[in-house]
Amino acid sequence: MSELHAAETSHQRRMDHMYRYQRHVYDLTRKYYLFGRDTLIGELNAGPGISVLEVGCGTGRNLALIGKHFPRARLFGLDISAEMLASAGAKLSRRGRSPAMLRVADATDFDPRLFGETGFDRIVISYSLSMIPDWQGAIDAAIAALNPGGSLHIADFGQQERLPASFRRLLRGWLTRFHVTPRETLFEVLAERARRNGAQLERRAIGRGYAWLAVYYRPAATAASATNPTVARVHGPVAAVIPA
């Protein structure tokens, strides 16, 4: 077994162990501190037939809300924890809920063909990057799975840059107990990927830096950009940071 595969297996076992019982109260407890999720969902603009994948879909809370906002979107979800997907499947199978195709998969190494798709129009990663050891690999996998003209929507813990230092220390200590590490270089990594790929990037902080939101827009494929990569870069500037 390779070192990378061993790390992935260890992460999967840890998540299953942690959520075996937590999944039953997860949504009730997390709603008080996972800010920005509903803002992200409201901005998806997922019209009829649009495919939406959530990476690290957990209990299916976000997918259920996406289905409520955009009832004609096609929903997909993956999570490394089979325990969490058990809750997601139950939640999304309730009467009146939009159905979703769910798969156990690693956020850093998945193929859209697992869902019978060639790519996705919207990909959501909500408060998962701070729990994924190879979080940059998860970003790269999501970008690779976007359809031309698609977008990657991220919400996660920020650096609490405008909050008191005492609050930051308390929050970080508490998050560590749940294997959560806010990604200090999240915006920089996304900006580098956007420059490399000729994509647009919108990013902003909310709650005085408590949470960070980012949207990565893959350029739409055109005949001109397919034959002349310079054209694609011209149409993909990186947007400036939007202050909280």
Side-chain angles (χ1 to χ4, degrees):
M1 180 182 294
S2 69
E3 184 176 339
L4 178 60
H5 182 65
E8 292 171 350
T9 301
S10 175
H11 179 58
Q12 182 176 27
R13 289 174 177 169
R14 184 168 64 246
M15 292 300 100
D16 272 339
H17 178 74
M18 183 166 68
Y19 291 127
R20 182 165 294 119
Y21 303 108
Q22 274 196 47
R23 64 189 177 93
H24 299 293
V25 296
Y26 184 92
D27 291 339
L28 179 63
T29 58
R30 266 57 177 185
K31 72 177 182 178
Y32 296 109
Y33 63 89
L34 299 188
F35 305 138
R37 295 181 298 172
D38 293 353
T39 299
L40 179 156
I41 291 169
E43 296 175 352
L44 283 177
N45 191 28
I50 292 293
S51 57
V52 182
L53 168 71
E54 182 174 15
V55 174
C57 65
T59 64
R61 180 265 184 193
N62 292 336
L63 284 174
L65 192 57
I66 292 169
K68 182 179 179 180
H69 279 269
F70 309 105
R72 298 180 64 186
R74 298 186 298 119
L75 306 182
F76 304 85
L78 69 82
D79 202 285
I80 200 169
S81 170
E83 295 289 344
M84 285 299 236
L85 286 186
S87 289
K91 184 188 300 292
L92 292 164
S93 65
R94 293 174 190 168
R95 187 173 182 178
R97 293 282 174 84
S98 297
M101 183 181 295
L102 307 176
R103 296 287 185 268
V104 175
D106 188 333
T108 67
D109 183 22
F110 69 92
D111 191 314
R113 290 175 294 183
L114 179 66
F115 300 89
E117 301 287 315
T118 57
F120 299 96
D121 302 312
R122 308 283 186 272
I123 297 180
V124 171
I125 310 181
S126 174
Y127 284 93
S128 293
L129 292 178
S130 51
M131 298 190 70
I132 298 172
D134 182 15
W135 62 276
Q136 295 191 36
I139 289 174
D140 290 335
I143 289 173
L146 281 175
N147 283 328
S151 52
L152 168 62
H153 301 252
I154 295 173
D156 216 311
F157 291 104
Q159 294 299 299
Q160 302 84 48
E161 53 268 28
R162 293 168 58 194
L163 290 168
S166 57
F167 177 86
R168 291 199 300 272
R169 286 193 298 270
L170 286 171
L171 179 63
R172 294 299 181 86
W174 187 72
L175 292 176
T176 299
R177 296 176 56 191
F178 299 96
H179 308 287
V180 175
T181 304
R183 304 307 181 185
E184 182 177 0
T185 59
L186 174 61
F187 283 163
E188 286 83 355
V189 168
L190 287 170
E192 188 278 329
R193 300 305 193 268
R195 285 192 292 269
R196 180 198 303 174
N197 300 323
Q200 287 186 322
L201 179 66
E202 294 178 0
R203 47 195 175 171
R204 67 186 188 268
I206 62 173
R208 300 175 68 186
Y210 180 92
W212 284 354
L213 299 178
V215 185
Y216 172 105
Y217 297 95
R218 177 179 172 178
T222 64
S225 62
T227 57
N228 185 357
T230 303
V231 175
R233 288 196 294 271
V234 169
H235 288 285
V238 176
V241 175
I242 303 173

